[in-house]
Amino acid sequence: MCCTGKCARLVGLTLLPSAFVCMIANLLLFFPNGESLDNSNISLQVWLMGGLIGGGLFMLCPSCSAIRAGGKGCCGAGCCGNRCRMLNSVFSSAFGLIGATYCTSVASAGLAIGPKCLTASGEWEYPFENLPSDQGYLSNSTLWELCLKPDNMVTWHVVLFAMLLCLGLLQTVLCGIQVVNGCIGCFCGDCRSKDDDDGGL
């Protein structure tokens, strides 16, 4: 039988680095191809900061709470069996689900709409926004030439938003697991013995 405390700690130790990766990916979206752009030339989906806020800051609380739930409870391994921290991790993970959903939604919109870039018309616009569904830019790389500047804009946009989408989905699954795991730990306690290494943050 898998201990709820060990499961919680594993979830927390996975969520924490994913949060930092989301924040870094979102910050990189502000500097396509390493270039600094005017604020008006940055797409709306980047400004919504799904990775920085949803997958990043929103995920710090549930990740730390889950790691702490993997340590000793207020009465050690015997009395309340870490139920206090497990209950706290349930609410924190539910909060994390909101952030992960936000990150996933913004990343999905970013991939669907595409980047904002300089086109042949001399305007900064979304050249892929109104394409027919059977001519999506994601499956037809020849359309990427519609973006003249910054260089490699579409690749930069697609790779980073795809990362945010994947991490957001992963965080959604992990937070959901911890909600269930935390409820089990709250009602049933932790199966670890006092001799186990319970050191948490």
Side-chain angles (χ1 to χ4, degrees):
M1 175 177 157
C2 180
C3 292
T4 55
K6 291 181 179 179
C7 180
R9 185 163 184 158
L10 178 61
V11 167
L13 290 174
T14 307
L15 283 176
L16 191 58
S18 75
F20 288 114
V21 173
C22 281
M23 288 189 282
I24 293 171
N26 202 148
L27 290 174
L28 288 174
L29 283 166
F30 282 99
F31 305 97
N33 205 40
E35 301 177 22
S36 179
L37 303 179
D38 290 339
N39 292 344
S40 60
N41 296 336
I42 298 174
S43 69
L44 173 62
Q45 289 70 39
V46 176
W47 281 112
L48 290 175
M49 294 186 283
L52 188 61
I53 297 174
L57 297 178
F58 265 55
M59 212 53 57
L60 294 179
C61 179
S63 62
C64 293
S65 178
I67 293 173
R68 289 177 61 83
K72 287 185 178 181
C74 56
C75 296
C79 182
C80 68
N82 209 21
R83 286 176 171 85
C84 300
R85 289 180 179 176
M86 279 295 179
L87 180 60
N88 181 56
S89 75
V90 171
F91 293 112
S92 296
S93 296
F95 179 74
L97 279 171
I98 298 173
T101 302
Y102 179 67
C103 178
T104 303
S105 301
V106 173
S108 299
L111 288 173
I113 296 173
K116 187 176 186 179
C117 57
L118 182 65
T119 62
S121 65
E123 300 290 333
W124 286 81
E125 54 188 2
Y126 301 92
F128 312 121
E129 185 174 11
N130 297 315
L131 290 177
S133 58
D134 59 340
Q135 298 180 14
Y137 78 101
L138 292 174
S139 58
N140 187 0
S141 59
T142 58
L143 294 173
W144 296 8
E145 297 175 359
L146 294 175
C147 276
L148 302 181
K149 285 188 178 297
D151 296 333
N152 304 313
M153 177 63 184
V154 181
T155 302
W156 192 274
H157 180 92
V158 170
V159 169
L160 291 175
F161 268 119
M163 284 177 58
L164 290 176
L165 178 60
C166 293
L167 288 171
L169 291 173
L170 174 63
Q171 290 172 342
T172 301
V173 172
L174 291 174
C175 285
I177 290 174
Q178 183 52 28
V179 168
V180 176
N181 179 64
C183 288
I184 295 173
C186 182
F187 287 109
C188 303
D190 195 347
C191 64
R192 291 174 300 178
S193 67
K194 294 181 179 180
D195 296 329
D196 288 341
D197 180 13
D198 300 278
L201 293 182

